[in-house]
Amino acid sequence: MPWFVWLLAAAALGAAEFFTLTLVFGLLAGAALVAAVVAGVGIGTLGQLVALGAAAAAGLIIVRPVALRHMAQQPIAREGSDALIGKRAEVVQEVTATRGLIKLCGEQWSARALDESLVIPVGSLVDVMEIEGATAVVYPRELLP
């Protein structure tokens, strides 16, 4: 088989990977590129198919599980307001289900209680559970399990 046929196959598989994002078609496209190189060197059809099979097997058995494991990991460092989740803060103005004020990392933030039935008094320590826009959703530290 001529080498340019393998390149066309690699391009088609690469396009399929672009739309599916499964890593399978991309690895098969890489295997087709290996077969194109083997064909370009002048090795026959059987050698090209062996190269295709070996490269595809190596990609699907070795590379894909490692890539999926790395993609599933959370980023090491959180940035922006996400970095504030889990931080401790002090209540500056009573926090209710709708309003309040806390001191978080040296700055004052508007806050509301995670549990709508709670009223958190001034001076209490709270944990930031999430950030909604410019409002920290907090829960009292002494009530945490």
Side-chain angles (χ1 to χ4, degrees):
M1 220 189 316
W3 61 271
F4 61 86
V5 174
W6 288 114
L7 285 180
L8 290 174
L13 289 166
E17 176 64 33
F18 179 77
F19 290 109
T20 62
L21 299 176
T22 60
L23 295 176
V24 173
F25 291 117
L27 292 169
L28 292 176
L33 286 175
V34 169
V37 169
V38 169
V41 170
I43 297 176
T45 305
L46 181 60
Q48 295 169 30
L49 292 175
V50 168
L52 175 74
L60 294 174
I61 294 171
I62 298 169
V63 175
R64 187 169 187 265
V66 172
L68 290 176
R69 200 172 324 121
H70 282 286
M71 287 175 28
Q73 290 178 347
Q74 294 291 327
I76 294 172
R78 292 185 286 178
E79 298 176 347
S81 61
D82 285 340
L84 299 174
I85 296 173
K87 297 278 186 180
R88 182 184 307 177
E90 182 180 352
V91 176
V92 176
Q93 179 185 7
E94 184 177 77
V95 176
T96 65
T98 57
R99 62 183 178 88
L101 199 61
I102 61 171
K103 187 170 187 173
L104 175 62
C105 296
E107 298 177 343
Q108 289 192 351
W109 278 71
S110 60
R112 70 172 184 83
L114 179 66
D115 184 351
E116 295 179 359
S117 65
L118 287 178
V119 175
I120 307 169
V122 174
S124 298
L125 294 178
V126 293
D127 281 329
V128 177
M129 305 307 275
E130 59 185 286
I131 301 289
E132 291 179 352
T135 303
V137 179
V138 298
Y139 196 79
R141 287 192 65 81
E142 63 270 358
L143 296 179
L144 289 175

PDB file of all heavy atoms in Angstrom, residues 79-106:
ATOM      1  N   GLU A  79      -6.913  28.108  41.461  1.00  0.00           N
ATOM      2  CA  GLU A  79      -6.660  29.519  41.183  1.00  0.00           C
ATOM      3  C   GLU A  79      -7.926  30.331  41.392  1.00  0.00           C
ATOM      4  O   GLU A  79      -9.028  29.806  41.382  1.00  0.00           O
ATOM      5  CB  GLU A  79      -6.176  29.691  39.746  1.00  0.00           C
ATOM      6  CG  GLU A  79      -4.867  28.988  39.464  1.00  0.00           C
ATOM      7  CD  GLU A  79      -4.471  29.095  37.996  1.00  0.00           C
ATOM      8  OE1 GLU A  79      -5.311  29.490  37.173  1.00  0.00           O
ATOM      9  OE2 GLU A  79      -3.315  28.784  37.702  1.00  0.00           O
ATOM     10  N   GLY A  80      -7.745  31.632  41.557  1.00  0.00           N
ATOM     11  CA  GLY A  80      -8.874  32.545  41.674  1.00  0.00           C
ATOM     12  C   GLY A  80      -9.704  32.270  42.910  1.00  0.00           C
ATOM     13  O   GLY A  80      -9.209  31.891  43.964  1.00  0.00           O
ATOM     14  N   SER A  81     -11.005  32.420  42.752  1.00  0.00           N
ATOM     15  CA  SER A  81     -11.899  32.221  43.890  1.00  0.00           C
ATOM     16  C   SER A  81     -11.972  30.756  44.317  1.00  0.00           C
ATOM     17  O   SER A  81     -12.295  30.466  45.462  1.00  0.00           O
ATOM     18  CB  SER A  81     -13.294  32.750  43.560  1.00  0.00           C
ATOM     19  OG  SER A  81     -13.826  32.059  42.462  1.00  0.00           O
ATOM     20  N   ASP A  82     -11.646  29.832  43.415  1.00  0.00           N
ATOM     21  CA  ASP A  82     -11.625  28.411  43.797  1.00  0.00           C
ATOM     22  C   ASP A  82     -10.586  28.137  44.882  1.00  0.00           C
ATOM     23  O   ASP A  82     -10.742  27.204  45.660  1.00  0.00           O
ATOM     24  CB  ASP A  82     -11.324  27.530  42.590  1.00  0.00           C
ATOM     25  CG  ASP A  82     -12.512  27.413  41.656  1.00  0.00           C
ATOM     26  OD1 ASP A  82     -13.641  27.689  42.109  1.00  0.00           O
ATOM     27  OD2 ASP A  82     -12.307  27.049  40.492  1.00  0.00           O
ATOM     28  N   ALA A  83      -9.536  28.932  44.937  1.00  0.00           N
ATOM     29  CA  ALA A  83      -8.497  28.742  45.942  1.00  0.00           C
ATOM     30  C   ALA A  83      -9.004  29.081  47.350  1.00  0.00           C
ATOM     31  O   ALA A  83      -8.390  28.692  48.336  1.00  0.00           O
ATOM     32  CB  ALA A  83      -7.276  29.585  45.607  1.00  0.00           C
ATOM     33  N   LEU A  84     -10.121  29.788  47.446  1.00  0.00           N
ATOM     34  CA  LEU A  84     -10.654  30.184  48.748  1.00  0.00           C
ATOM     35  C   LEU A  84     -11.532  29.092  49.381  1.00  0.00           C
ATOM     36  O   LEU A  84     -11.797  29.133  50.575  1.00  0.00           O
ATOM     37  CB  LEU A  84     -11.464  31.474  48.611  1.00  0.00           C
ATOM     38  CG  LEU A  84     -10.678  32.682  48.109  1.00  0.00           C
ATOM     39  CD1 LEU A  84     -11.613  33.855  47.880  1.00  0.00           C
ATOM     40  CD2 LEU A  84      -9.576  33.050  49.079  1.00  0.00           C
ATOM     41  N   ILE A  85     -11.952  28.134  48.582  1.00  0.00           N
ATOM     42  CA  ILE A  85     -12.811  27.072  49.108  1.00  0.00           C
ATOM     43  C   ILE A  85     -12.007  26.232  50.107  1.00  0.00           C
ATOM     44  O   ILE A  85     -10.903  25.802  49.823  1.00  0.00           O
ATOM     45  CB  ILE A  85     -13.363  26.204  47.963  1.00  0.00           C
ATOM     46  CG1 ILE A  85     -14.266  27.052  47.073  1.00  0.00           C
ATOM     47  CG2 ILE A  85     -14.110  24.993  48.505  1.00  0.00           C
ATOM     48  CD1 ILE A  85     -14.727  26.361  45.823  1.00  0.00           C
ATOM     49  N   GLY A  86     -12.596  26.038  51.275  1.00  0.00           N
ATOM     50  CA  GLY A  86     -11.933  25.282  52.334  1.00  0.00           C
ATOM     51  C   GLY A  86     -11.169  26.156  53.317  1.00  0.00           C
ATOM     52  O   GLY A  86     -10.691  25.669  54.336  1.00  0.00           O
ATOM     53  N   LYS A  87     -11.043  27.435  53.031  1.00  0.00           N
ATOM     54  CA  LYS A  87     -10.321  28.355  53.932  1.00  0.00           C
ATOM     55  C   LYS A  87     -11.182  28.698  55.138  1.00  0.00           C
ATOM     56  O   LYS A  87     -12.403  28.625  55.113  1.00  0.00           O
ATOM     57  CB  LYS A  87      -9.949  29.653  53.203  1.00  0.00           C
ATOM     58  CG  LYS A  87      -9.018  29.478  52.044  1.00  0.00           C
ATOM     59  CD  LYS A  87      -7.620  29.401  52.519  1.00  0.00           C
ATOM     60  CE  LYS A  87      -6.696  29.384  51.291  1.00  0.00           C
ATOM     61  NZ  LYS A  87      -5.330  29.303  51.633  1.00  0.00           N
ATOM     62  N   ARG A  88     -10.513  29.092  56.210  1.00  0.00           N
ATOM     63  CA  ARG A  88     -11.171  29.522  57.438  1.00  0.00           C
ATOM     64  C   ARG A  88     -11.364  31.033  57.381  1.00  0.00           C
ATOM     65  O   ARG A  88     -10.504  31.759  56.886  1.00  0.00           O
ATOM     66  CB  ARG A  88     -10.321  29.161  58.640  1.00  0.00           C
ATOM     67  CG  ARG A  88     -10.965  29.546  59.963  1.00  0.00           C
ATOM     68  CD  ARG A  88     -10.077  29.277  61.131  1.00  0.00           C
ATOM     69  NE  ARG A  88      -9.625  27.878  61.104  1.00  0.00           N
ATOM     70  CZ  ARG A  88      -8.783  27.359  61.981  1.00  0.00           C
ATOM     71  NH1 ARG A  88      -8.278  28.107  62.928  1.00  0.00           N
ATOM     72  NH2 ARG A  88      -8.432  26.111  61.906  1.00  0.00           N
ATOM     73  N   ALA A  89     -12.492  31.506  57.883  1.00  0.00           N
ATOM     74  CA  ALA A  89     -12.793  32.934  57.914  1.00  0.00           C
ATOM     75  C   ALA A  89     -13.444  33.278  59.249  1.00  0.00           C
ATOM     76  O   ALA A  89     -13.886  32.393  59.985  1.00  0.00           O
ATOM     77  CB  ALA A  89     -13.720  33.300  56.763  1.00  0.00           C
ATOM     78  N   GLU A  90     -13.485  34.567  59.528  1.00  0.00           N
ATOM     79  CA  GLU A  90     -14.107  35.046  60.756  1.00  0.00           C
ATOM     80  C   GLU A  90     -15.295  35.924  60.397  1.00  0.00           C
ATOM     81  O   GLU A  90     -15.224  36.761  59.499  1.00  0.00           O
ATOM     82  CB  GLU A  90     -13.111  35.860  61.590  1.00  0.00           C
ATOM     83  CG  GLU A  90     -13.671  36.343  62.904  1.00  0.00           C
ATOM     84  CD  GLU A  90     -12.658  37.156  63.712  1.00  0.00           C
ATOM     85  OE1 GLU A  90     -11.485  37.206  63.314  1.00  0.00           O
ATOM     86  OE2 GLU A  90     -13.070  37.738  64.720  1.00  0.00           O
ATOM     87  N   VAL A  91     -16.405  35.721  61.118  1.00  0.00           N
ATOM     88  CA  VAL A  91     -17.626  36.487  60.855  1.00  0.00           C
ATOM     89  C   VAL A  91     -17.449  37.900  61.407  1.00  0.00           C
ATOM     90  O   VAL A  91     -17.138  38.089  62.572  1.00  0.00           O
ATOM     91  CB  VAL A  91     -18.852  35.796  61.482  1.00  0.00           C
ATOM     92  CG1 VAL A  91     -20.102  36.639  61.296  1.00  0.00           C
ATOM     93  CG2 VAL A  91     -19.041  34.406  60.893  1.00  0.00           C
ATOM     94  N   VAL A  92     -17.654  38.896  60.555  1.00  0.00           N
ATOM     95  CA  VAL A  92     -17.545  40.309  60.934  1.00  0.00           C
ATOM     96  C   VAL A  92     -18.938  40.893  61.174  1.00  0.00           C
ATOM     97  O   VAL A  92     -19.129  41.734  62.044  1.00  0.00           O
ATOM     98  CB  VAL A  92     -16.806  41.107  59.830  1.00  0.00           C
ATOM     99  CG1 VAL A  92     -16.766  42.577  60.137  1.00  0.00           C
ATOM    100  CG2 VAL A  92     -15.415  40.544  59.620  1.00  0.00           C
ATOM    101  N   GLN A  93     -19.913  40.459  60.385  1.00  0.00           N
ATOM    102  CA  GLN A  93     -21.303  40.874  60.542  1.00  0.00           C
ATOM    103  C   GLN A  93     -22.140  39.598  60.478  1.00  0.00           C
ATOM    104  O   GLN A  93     -21.870  38.721  59.659  1.00  0.00           O
ATOM    105  CB  GLN A  93     -21.697  41.830  59.405  1.00  0.00           C
ATOM    106  CG  GLN A  93     -23.105  42.311  59.446  1.00  0.00           C
ATOM    107  CD  GLN A  93     -23.444  43.168  58.213  1.00  0.00           C
ATOM    108  OE1 GLN A  93     -22.645  43.275  57.297  1.00  0.00           O
ATOM    109  NE2 GLN A  93     -24.628  43.744  58.221  1.00  0.00           N
ATOM    110  N   GLU A  94     -23.123  39.479  61.335  1.00  0.00           N
ATOM    111  CA  GLU A  94     -23.929  38.265  61.437  1.00  0.00           C
ATOM    112  C   GLU A  94     -24.287  37.699  60.065  1.00  0.00           C
ATOM    113  O   GLU A  94     -24.732  38.414  59.178  1.00  0.00           O
ATOM    114  CB  GLU A  94     -25.215  38.597  62.216  1.00  0.00           C
ATOM    115  CG  GLU A  94     -26.090  37.401  62.475  1.00  0.00           C
ATOM    116  CD  GLU A  94     -27.298  37.785  63.305  1.00  0.00           C
ATOM    117  OE1 GLU A  94     -28.236  38.374  62.742  1.00  0.00           O
ATOM    118  OE2 GLU A  94     -27.281  37.480  64.512  1.00  0.00           O
ATOM    119  N   VAL A  95     -24.071  36.384  59.926  1.00  0.00           N
ATOM    120  CA  VAL A  95     -24.330  35.710  58.652  1.00  0.00           C
ATOM    121  C   VAL A  95     -25.631  34.927  58.756  1.00  0.00           C
ATOM    122  O   VAL A  95     -25.812  34.117  59.655  1.00  0.00           O
ATOM    123  CB  VAL A  95     -23.164  34.762  58.275  1.00  0.00           C
ATOM    124  CG1 VAL A  95     -23.485  34.000  56.999  1.00  0.00           C
ATOM    125  CG2 VAL A  95     -21.873  35.537  58.112  1.00  0.00           C
ATOM    126  N   THR A  96     -26.523  35.178  57.814  1.00  0.00           N
ATOM    127  CA  THR A  96     -27.793  34.461  57.730  1.00  0.00           C
ATOM    128  C   THR A  96     -27.867  33.759  56.374  1.00  0.00           C
ATOM    129  O   THR A  96     -26.885  33.726  55.632  1.00  0.00           O
ATOM    130  CB  THR A  96     -28.981  35.437  57.874  1.00  0.00           C
ATOM    131  OG1 THR A  96     -28.974  36.337  56.757  1.00  0.00           O
ATOM    132  CG2 THR A  96     -28.909  36.227  59.178  1.00  0.00           C
ATOM    133  N   ALA A  97     -29.053  33.262  56.060  1.00  0.00           N
ATOM    134  CA  ALA A  97     -29.241  32.575  54.778  1.00  0.00           C
ATOM    135  C   ALA A  97     -29.167  33.523  53.594  1.00  0.00           C
ATOM    136  O   ALA A  97     -28.954  33.094  52.465  1.00  0.00           O
ATOM    137  CB  ALA A  97     -30.570  31.842  54.769  1.00  0.00           C
ATOM    138  N   THR A  98     -29.314  34.835  53.857  1.00  0.00           N
ATOM    139  CA  THR A  98     -29.355  35.789  52.742  1.00  0.00           C
ATOM    140  C   THR A  98     -28.228  36.809  52.751  1.00  0.00           C
ATOM    141  O   THR A  98     -27.892  37.355  51.701  1.00  0.00           O
ATOM    142  CB  THR A  98     -30.690  36.557  52.739  1.00  0.00           C
ATOM    143  OG1 THR A  98     -30.851  37.204  54.005  1.00  0.00           O
ATOM    144  CG2 THR A  98     -31.845  35.608  52.477  1.00  0.00           C
ATOM    145  N   ARG A  99     -27.653  37.095  53.937  1.00  0.00           N
ATOM    146  CA  ARG A  99     -26.617  38.127  53.958  1.00  0.00           C
ATOM    147  C   ARG A  99     -25.672  37.938  55.140  1.00  0.00           C
ATOM    148  O   ARG A  99     -25.930  37.154  56.042  1.00  0.00           O
ATOM    149  CB  ARG A  99     -27.231  39.519  54.010  1.00  0.00           C
ATOM    150  CG  ARG A  99     -28.051  39.778  55.259  1.00  0.00           C
ATOM    151  CD  ARG A  99     -28.704  41.148  55.213  1.00  0.00           C
ATOM    152  NE  ARG A  99     -29.509  41.344  56.401  1.00  0.00           N
ATOM    153  CZ  ARG A  99     -29.045  41.843  57.544  1.00  0.00           C
ATOM    154  NH1 ARG A  99     -27.792  42.197  57.658  1.00  0.00           N
ATOM    155  NH2 ARG A  99     -29.845  41.993  58.577  1.00  0.00           N
ATOM    156  N   GLY A 100     -24.582  38.659  55.098  1.00  0.00           N
ATOM    157  CA  GLY A 100     -23.590  38.634  56.156  1.00  0.00           C
ATOM    158  C   GLY A 100     -22.263  39.115  55.614  1.00  0.00           C
ATOM    159  O   GLY A 100     -22.126  39.415  54.416  1.00  0.00           O
ATOM    160  N   LEU A 101     -21.263  39.200  56.501  1.00  0.00           N
ATOM    161  CA  LEU A 101     -19.948  39.689  56.109  1.00  0.00           C
ATOM    162  C   LEU A 101     -18.890  38.892  56.875  1.00  0.00           C
ATOM    163  O   LEU A 101     -19.026  38.674  58.081  1.00  0.00           O
ATOM    164  CB  LEU A 101     -19.833  41.185  56.448  1.00  0.00           C
ATOM    165  CG  LEU A 101     -18.763  41.997  55.761  1.00  0.00           C
ATOM    166  CD1 LEU A 101     -18.963  42.008  54.251  1.00  0.00           C
ATOM    167  CD2 LEU A 101     -18.775  43.425  56.282  1.00  0.00           C
ATOM    168  N   ILE A 102     -17.859  38.455  56.172  1.00  0.00           N
ATOM    169  CA  ILE A 102     -16.771  37.713  56.805  1.00  0.00           C
ATOM    170  C   ILE A 102     -15.438  38.330  56.422  1.00  0.00           C
ATOM    171  O   ILE A 102     -15.341  39.062  55.429  1.00  0.00           O
ATOM    172  CB  ILE A 102     -16.787  36.221  56.387  1.00  0.00           C
ATOM    173  CG1 ILE A 102     -16.607  36.070  54.876  1.00  0.00           C
ATOM    174  CG2 ILE A 102     -18.038  35.527  56.873  1.00  0.00           C
ATOM    175  CD1 ILE A 102     -16.387  34.648  54.413  1.00  0.00           C
ATOM    176  N   LYS A 103     -14.408  38.024  57.231  1.00  0.00           N
ATOM    177  CA  LYS A 103     -13.047  38.414  56.902  1.00  0.00           C
ATOM    178  C   LYS A 103     -12.336  37.151  56.435  1.00  0.00           C
ATOM    179  O   LYS A 103     -12.145  36.212  57.200  1.00  0.00           O
ATOM    180  CB  LYS A 103     -12.346  39.018  58.108  1.00  0.00           C
ATOM    181  CG  LYS A 103     -10.994  39.598  57.763  1.00  0.00           C
ATOM    182  CD  LYS A 103     -10.434  40.409  58.910  1.00  0.00           C
ATOM    183  CE  LYS A 103      -9.168  41.107  58.451  1.00  0.00           C
ATOM    184  NZ  LYS A 103      -8.689  42.021  59.476  1.00  0.00           N
ATOM    185  N   LEU A 104     -11.970  37.145  55.157  1.00  0.00           N
ATOM    186  CA  LEU A 104     -11.395  35.979  54.511  1.00  0.00           C
ATOM    187  C   LEU A 104     -10.085  36.376  53.859  1.00  0.00           C
ATOM    188  O   LEU A 104     -10.065  37.229  52.977  1.00  0.00           O
ATOM    189  CB  LEU A 104     -12.380  35.427  53.471  1.00  0.00           C
ATOM    190  CG  LEU A 104     -11.941  34.285  52.586  1.00  0.00           C
ATOM    191  CD1 LEU A 104     -11.623  33.060  53.432  1.00  0.00           C
ATOM    192  CD2 LEU A 104     -13.030  33.954  51.580  1.00  0.00           C
ATOM    193  N   CYS A 105      -8.998  35.795  54.324  1.00  0.00           N
ATOM    194  CA  CYS A 105      -7.659  36.085  53.786  1.00  0.00           C
ATOM    195  C   CYS A 105      -7.354  37.580  53.799  1.00  0.00           C
ATOM    196  O   CYS A 105      -6.794  38.134  52.846  1.00  0.00           O
ATOM    197  CB  CYS A 105      -7.506  35.526  52.375  1.00  0.00           C
ATOM    198  SG  CYS A 105      -7.599  33.732  52.295  1.00  0.00           S
ATOM    199  N   GLY A 106      -7.750  38.251  54.877  1.00  0.00           N
ATOM    200  CA  GLY A 106      -7.447  39.665  55.027  1.00  0.00           C
ATOM    201  C   GLY A 106      -8.402  40.594  54.301  1.00  0.00           C
ATOM    202  O   GLY A 106      -8.248  41.810  54.365  1.00  0.00           O
TER     203      GLY A 106
END
